[in-house]
Amino acid sequence: MALPISYILFFFLLALSIFLSISSSSWFGIWIGLELNMMSFIPLITIKMSSHLSESALKYFLIQALGSTMFIMSSCMFLSFTQMSPPILLASLLLKLGSAPFHFWFPQVMSGLTWAQAIILMTLQKITPMVLISYLSTHSSLLKIISLSAILSAIIGALGGLNTMQLRKMMAFSSINHMSWMLISISISDTFWVTYFLFYSSISSAIMALFLIFQAFTLADLMKLSQTNPIHTLIIPLNFLSLGGLPPLAGFIPKWMLIQFMINNNMYMSLLILLSSALITLYFYLRVATFFLLLTNPTAVPNVKLNFTFSMPTSLLLFFNLFMLNLPFMFLLF
């Protein structure tokens, strides 16, 4: 069913607000873009009348309103309290971003969203705060706060996803963990974090698009997928292993670049924490992958013919996965 024109308009305003915020030359213009972004995303959350969607919309509104209040307050304090204003401004952006220690709202909001809304929340809604944090990374006093938030995000994102059976919460804690790599990348250079964000957005969007197609929200739902099509058992584990950064998949490329830079600059302690958290996240990614590969056995179902047909979405996603699988070898050729 086609979306109403009003929702297409809200999505257009969402994209417009991102460009308005990152291209504005004043804090007031950035604040207007952030407010427009919030007020255009909330109608997209409440696209259907549901208690879960309404609860997520209310939580998102309260958190974003608090972040906007802190943002405009710190902007007004620049002239009088020059030392206090930048940390408050950075804290407001970390709150909007859902990075630790201001991560508490992100898994709860994600739990009530549909997969289409979760894709927007985990990709487009992160662009503006990260660009603004990259502007603030020129202040040497704020780099320690950014690094501290990155370390906390790595630890919380890794430990938070261990015991959850909900796929949306798993993706939320995965996003928090990947935020640690992106925050460290922001403190280094714009090229690093843009590269990491593009890889992360493409891989995580592919995973959530698969869950949207299959309408899977828990690990138990994965077991109910069509066991007569073995193609499904290839696509989802391949995406998860790539998201976990397992070499030689494409998700390892931005982490490889960042690891080399951190080693060259003697950032061993931060690198140790990030790599340890990546191993933990790879554990619960592998739990999904092995669950899919070992328990999904079409031959164990009697009188069922194997179906190797490729639907259009499945074909596109499989092509995407196979292309991403070969992408690291293309880098090695140059």
Side-chain angles (χ1 to χ4, degrees), residues 159 181 184 228 322:
L159 299 179
W181 293 86
I184 291 293
T228 60
L322 294 178

Side-chain angles (χ1 to χ4, degrees), residues 159-224:
L159 299 179
L162 281 177
N163 295 324
T164 179
M165 302 294 288
Q166 301 288 330
L167 294 177
R168 285 172 293 189
K169 278 192 175 181
M170 185 183 298
M171 294 301 296
F173 283 110
S174 171
S175 177
I176 294 173
N177 180 263
H178 282 281
M179 277 308 308
S180 63
W181 293 86
M182 282 184 272
L183 287 175
I184 291 293
S185 302
I186 286 175
S187 64
I188 296 173
S189 70
D190 291 338
T191 305
F192 275 100
W193 83 260
V194 170
T195 303
Y196 196 104
F197 180 75
L198 290 176
F199 276 86
Y200 159 76
S201 298
S202 58
I203 298 171
S204 61
S205 298
I207 293 176
M208 290 185 285
L210 285 168
F211 292 153
L212 175 63
I213 294 171
F214 301 141
Q215 287 300 299
F217 296 99
T218 63
L219 290 178
D221 292 336
L222 294 180
M223 195 61 187
K224 299 177 184 178

Side-chain angles (χ1 to χ4, degrees), residues 29 82 111 171 224 307 315:
T82 56
S111 298
M171 294 301 296
K224 299 177 184 178
N307 180 15
S315 301

Side-chain angles (χ1 to χ4, degrees), residues 17-305:
S17 65
I18 295 174
F19 288 106
L20 176 63
S21 294
I22 64 178
S23 62
S24 179
S25 59
S26 66
W27 291 115
F28 184 72
I30 293 173
W31 176 73
I32 291 176
L34 291 173
E35 291 298 302
L36 180 62
N37 181 273
M38 177 185 67
M39 298 309 295
S40 58
F41 183 58
I42 290 177
L44 293 176
I45 297 179
T46 56
I47 190 171
K48 294 180 181 179
M49 295 304 295
S50 170
S51 59
H52 296 290
L53 293 177
S54 299
E55 181 182 356
S56 295
L58 180 59
K59 290 178 181 177
Y60 183 80
F61 171 76
L62 293 175
I63 291 298
Q64 296 299 314
L66 176 61
S68 298
T69 303
M70 293 173 59
F71 185 89
I72 197 66
M73 180 185 69
S74 60
S75 301
C76 296
M77 291 169 57
F78 258 118
L79 297 177
S80 302
F81 304 93
T82 56
Q83 299 297 323
M84 188 184 302
S85 178
I88 298 177
L89 185 63
L90 179 60
S92 68
L93 295 175
L94 293 175
L95 177 64
K96 284 181 168 291
L97 192 59
S99 177
F102 309 105
H103 66 283
F104 51 88
W105 64 272
F106 195 77
Q108 298 180 18
V109 172
M110 275 282 293
S111 298
L113 300 181
T114 63
W115 284 118
Q117 298 159 355
I119 292 175
I120 299 176
L121 181 62
M122 291 180 61
T123 55
L124 294 179
Q125 295 299 91
K126 292 183 180 295
I127 296 177
T128 302
M130 284 196 297
V131 171
L132 298 179
I133 290 175
S134 68
Y135 294 161
L136 294 175
S137 63
T138 55
H139 293 76
S140 58
S141 60
L142 298 182
L143 289 177
K144 294 182 179 179
I145 301 178
I146 296 176
S147 300
L148 177 62
S149 178
I151 292 173
L152 291 176
S153 298
I155 297 172
I156 292 172
L159 299 179
L162 281 177
N163 295 324
T164 179
M165 302 294 288
Q166 301 288 330
L167 294 177
R168 285 172 293 189
K169 278 192 175 181
M170 185 183 298
M171 294 301 296
F173 283 110
S174 171
S175 177
I176 294 173
N177 180 263
H178 282 281
M179 277 308 308
S180 63
W181 293 86
M182 282 184 272
L183 287 175
I184 291 293
S185 302
I186 286 175
S187 64
I188 296 173
S189 70
D190 291 338
T191 305
F192 275 100
W193 83 260
V194 170
T195 303
Y196 196 104
F197 180 75
L198 290 176
F199 276 86
Y200 159 76
S201 298
S202 58
I203 298 171
S204 61
S205 298
I207 293 176
M208 290 185 285
L210 285 168
F211 292 153
L212 175 63
I213 294 171
F214 301 141
Q215 287 300 299
F217 296 99
T218 63
L219 290 178
D221 292 336
L222 294 180
M223 195 61 187
K224 299 177 184 178
L225 295 181
S226 176
Q227 297 189 5
T228 60
N229 195 342
I231 302 302
H232 296 164
T233 65
L234 171 66
I235 298 177
I236 294 180
L238 193 61
N239 269 289
F240 267 110
L241 295 179
S242 183
L243 184 63
L246 188 69
L249 300 176
F252 180 67
I253 294 177
K255 289 185 178 180
W256 189 10
M257 295 167 54
L258 191 58
I259 288 170
Q260 286 185 326
F261 183 89
M262 295 178 72
I263 290 176
N264 293 334
N265 288 271
N266 299 322
M267 301 170 65
Y268 296 114
M269 184 58 65
S270 300
L271 180 60
L272 178 62
I273 296 175
L274 291 181
L275 289 178
S276 301
S277 67
L279 288 176
I280 298 176
T281 56
L282 187 60
Y283 165 74
F284 60 80
Y285 293 151
L286 283 171
R287 184 177 63 179
V288 178
T290 54
F291 170 84
F292 229 85
L293 294 174
L294 297 180
L295 298 184
T296 304
N297 186 8
T299 59
V301 182
N303 301 323
V304 173
K305 296 181 179 179

